[in-house]
Amino acid sequence: MLLRILELVGIAAFAASGALVGVTKRLDIFGVCVVGVFTGVGGGIVRDVLLGIHPPTALGSWPILGTAFGISLLVFYVHFAVHRLRREILVLDAVGMGLFASTGAVIALDHGAGPLASCLIGGTAAIGGGVLRDVLVNEVPLLLQKDLYAVPALIAAALVVAVSESGAPNNIALVVGTVFATTLRLLALWRHWSLPGPRIPE
Amino acid sequence: MLLRILELVGIAAFAASGALVGVTKRLDIFGVCVVGVFTGVGGGIVRDVLLGIHPPTALGSWPILGTAFGISLLVFYVHFAVHRLRREILVLDAVGMGLFASTGAVIALDHGAGPLASCLIGGTAAIGGGVLRDVLVNEVPLLLQKDLYAVPALIAAALVVAVSESGAPNNIALVVGTVFATTLRLLALWRHWSLPGPRIPE
Amino acid sequence: MLLRILELVGIAAFAASGALVGVTKRLDIFGVCVVGVFTGVGGGIVRDVLLGIHPPTALGSWPILGTAFGISLLVFYVHFAVHRLRREILVLDAVGMGLFASTGAVIALDHGAGPLASCLIGGTAAIGGGVLRDVLVNEVPLLLQKDLYAVPALIAAALVVAVSESGAPNNIALVVGTVFATTLRLLALWRHWSLPGPRIPE
């Protein structure tokens, strides 16, 4: 139950970030909602396509689609207020990322994927929405450029796989993965940690 | 039979719009054909991937691929004439959009997708080709920016699902959906209807 | 066995080209590796999604992922040296392209796809990584613009399907397809063959 609510919180945060980008690109109301909804559910859809879950769960879920759509609509109308909440959205987004990475890995294991594939599918579920958002609005995906985002997602998925393979119940694996990824992401935001870029002489 | 012919008409119109964009971007003959074919069959491929139809129907169909490829080649060589036919292409494209949304929804229902998922998959089948086209040639997808395009597609798919769930035969559902979406799209083009954009002070 | 090694060589060449593009775009170390790995395994993943192989083979293979990741990391640190090896990378890339087109077609036939679909899926496996790379870094895919790249891939896949359908063992089909595509690609590079672009008056 708590998991279900946290999932919707994560989707809402993802959708808000997508809709904000849509507003910045001056898309119309439908475009803003499409980019918002896609950012919210895109990671889960890619996960399900890779695992052969047909049709992808998110496409048939009123709570998920309703949340993503409602938040996108809200952002379209009150984007000024939302801009002021950017910090809060970043925190919620970190929760969503950790949760998606962890649930993605568990779902992959449940569908018979091996440990390595489960790590990667968990990571993909966490970052897929953001990558789709940036491809749609014609930007080089932000998370490829700087910022510690995908690394916590991948580590969390690996943790979940390790804990789950060690025989512990999935719930414990989920909590460990989510808490770890969210904490690492928030620490990275707070301390401005980033990865090195290539050394290219000017 | 009529349905089959209309489907090829829709694919031809989609392919023509894709090939024209390819010419504008000065791609070579192969690039123009790839973008044209992808625009023609992309929506159906995404639909089939989401539904788990392997391999996607379009990839094994000579009539579909031949039509999309032939039209793209034609556009490559006589794009001046095609430019002058832009209005006619827009009308054919509206027919294709309505038809793809409707058949997409019926195919989704047939493959066991729920009502909500079937609406979205129908809508995706109708707009997928255009979105792939714009992502390939590195543009923000046109249909996210203005113009009533995806809204008629989604409404048509919803109509088809409602009619079909009410127990009416699929053929009637298809006709209702296609006629509705095409009419709404043509009205929107004729009256220059569009959706509101975000209010951002200059 | 030789096939397995050649496959890794091809993936390494693809990954190197992807990582080089990432360095040019000044992505951070993680972004460079993601683009490199995606370019290396992207074609195979798209192939598997189209054929309904879940989860895609590459996602569960340590040798494949390790090769793609290791090469990307190497390119990140020694990209100057790699730039000087551009000619060698182009040759390896041609081998990889021919091999992916041929194995893709054989795998598609094995999974029950028809001849036409197998050609296209083989071609997709060969060019998918490069297209994903260019979409990720926000460029119009290079292979749509000039250069004989996808044409040899498609012809090779068609050859493989023809040889295999004629009853010859798959190994022979693979060798014929790979040698043909690689040779044609190298000839095209050497003689600067390219396809015509659209005639647009200035």
Side-chain angles (χ1 to χ4, degrees):
Chain A
M1 189 58 208
L2 177 65
L3 205 70
R4 197 93 182 98
I5 292 172
L6 279 176
E7 197 194 355
L8 291 182
V9 168
I11 286 173
F14 284 176
S17 87
L20 267 183
V21 171
V23 167
T24 314
K25 290 266 165 175
R26 294 171 168 269
L27 305 182
D28 68 16
I29 186 171
F30 179 79
V32 168
C33 288
V34 167
V35 175
V37 170
F38 249 88
T39 312
V41 304
I45 290 180
V46 172
R47 176 197 69 206
D48 289 354
V49 165
L50 290 177
L51 287 171
I53 302 175
H54 305 298
T57 342
L59 289 184
S61 160
W62 282 107
I64 290 180
L65 286 172
T67 304
F69 184 76
I71 292 287
S72 304
L73 215 57
L74 197 72
V75 168
F76 180 81
Y77 284 112
V78 298
H79 54 90
F80 297 109
V82 178
H83 259 301
R84 238 170 285 130
L85 293 173
R86 245 179 307 183
R87 284 175 74 120
E88 285 77 4
I89 290 181
L90 273 179
V91 173
L92 294 177
D93 178 271
V95 176
M97 181 272 288
L99 199 72
F100 273 46
S102 306
T103 54
V106 166
I107 294 174
L109 286 172
D110 279 353
H111 279 77
L116 179 59
S118 298
C119 290
L120 292 169
I121 289 174
T124 305
I127 71 175
V131 171
L132 276 179
R133 175 195 65 209
D134 293 344
V135 167
L136 269 183
V137 300
N138 209 16
E139 300 280 350
V140 176
L142 214 64
L143 64 89
L144 299 180
Q145 291 183 80
K146 53 186 165 105
D147 241 23
L148 226 56
Y149 194 96
V151 171
L154 283 170
I155 300 179
L159 264 178
V160 167
V161 170
V163 172
S164 176
E165 296 282 281
S166 79
N170 279 348
N171 281 341
I172 294 185
L174 281 177
V175 172
V176 170
T178 307
V179 169
F180 176 84
T182 307
T183 313
L184 183 54
R185 168 76 180 139
L186 292 177
L187 273 174
L189 281 175
W190 178 45
R191 311 289 288 171
H192 296 287
W193 286 340
S194 68
L195 293 167
R199 271 182 309 168
I200 302 177
E202 303 306 312
Chain B
M1 188 58 208
L2 178 65
L3 204 71
R4 197 94 183 96
I5 292 173
L6 279 176
E7 197 194 355
L8 291 181
V9 168
I11 285 174
F14 285 177
S17 87
L20 267 183
V21 171
V23 167
T24 314
K25 290 265 166 176
R26 293 168 169 269
L27 305 182
D28 69 16
I29 187 171
F30 179 80
V32 168
C33 288
V34 167
V35 176
V37 170
F38 250 89
T39 311
V41 305
I45 291 181
V46 172
R47 176 198 68 205
D48 290 354
V49 165
L50 291 177
L51 288 172
I53 302 175
H54 304 299
T57 343
L59 289 184
S61 159
W62 281 108
I64 290 179
L65 286 171
T67 302
F69 185 76
I71 291 287
S72 304
L73 215 55
L74 196 72
V75 168
F76 180 81
Y77 284 111
V78 298
H79 53 88
F80 296 111
V82 177
H83 260 299
R84 239 170 285 131
L85 293 173
R86 244 178 310 182
R87 285 174 75 120
E88 285 77 6
I89 291 182
L90 273 178
V91 173
L92 294 177
D93 179 271
V95 176
M97 180 272 288
L99 198 73
F100 273 47
S102 306
T103 54
V106 166
I107 295 174
L109 286 173
D110 279 353
H111 280 76
L116 178 60
S118 298
C119 290
L120 292 168
I121 289 174
T124 305
I127 71 176
V131 171
L132 276 179
R133 176 196 65 209
D134 294 343
V135 167
L136 269 183
V137 300
N138 209 17
E139 300 281 349
V140 176
L142 214 64
L143 65 88
L144 299 179
Q145 290 182 81
K146 51 183 167 107
D147 241 21
L148 225 55
Y149 194 95
V151 171
L154 283 170
I155 300 180
L159 265 179
V160 168
V161 170
V163 172
S164 177
E165 294 283 281
S166 77
N170 279 347
N171 282 340
I172 294 185
L174 281 177
V175 172
V176 171
T178 307
V179 170
F180 176 85
T182 306
T183 312
L184 183 54
R185 169 76 181 141
L186 291 178
L187 272 174
L189 281 175
W190 179 43
R191 311 290 286 171
H192 295 289
W193 287 342
S194 68
L195 294 167
R199 271 183 309 169
I200 302 177
E202 302 305 310
Chain C
M1 189 58 208
L2 178 65
L3 203 72
R4 197 94 184 97
I5 291 172
L6 279 176
E7 196 194 354
L8 291 181
V9 168
I11 285 174
F14 285 177
S17 86
L20 268 183
V21 172
V23 168
T24 314
K25 290 265 167 177
R26 294 170 170 269
L27 305 182
D28 69 16
I29 187 171
F30 179 79
V32 168
C33 288
V34 167
V35 176
V37 169
F38 251 87
T39 311
V41 305
I45 290 181
V46 172
R47 176 198 68 205
D48 290 354
V49 165
L50 290 177
L51 289 171
I53 303 174
H54 304 298
T57 341
L59 289 184
S61 159
W62 282 107
I64 290 179
L65 285 171
T67 303
F69 185 76
I71 292 288
S72 304
L73 214 56
L74 197 71
V75 169
F76 180 81
Y77 284 112
V78 298
H79 54 89
F80 297 109
V82 179
H83 260 300
R84 238 170 287 133
L85 293 173
R86 245 178 308 182
R87 285 174 73 119
E88 286 76 6
I89 291 182
L90 274 178
V91 173
L92 295 177
D93 178 271
V95 176
M97 180 272 287
L99 199 73
F100 273 47
S102 307
T103 53
V106 166
I107 295 175
L109 286 172
D110 280 352
H111 278 77
L116 179 60
S118 298
C119 288
L120 293 169
I121 290 175
T124 305
I127 70 175
V131 171
L132 276 178
R133 175 196 65 209
D134 294 344
V135 167
L136 269 184
V137 300
N138 209 16
E139 300 281 349
V140 176
L142 213 63
L143 65 90
L144 299 179
Q145 292 184 80
K146 50 182 167 106
D147 240 21
L148 226 56
Y149 194 95
V151 172
L154 283 170
I155 300 180
L159 264 179
V160 167
V161 170
V163 172
S164 177
E165 295 283 283
S166 77
N170 279 348
N171 281 338
I172 295 185
L174 281 178
V175 172
V176 171
T178 307
V179 170
F180 176 85
T182 307
T183 312
L184 184 53
R185 168 76 181 139
L186 292 178
L187 273 175
L189 281 175
W190 179 43
R191 311 290 286 172
H192 295 288
W193 287 341
S194 68
L195 293 167
R199 271 183 309 169
I200 302 176
E202 304 304 310

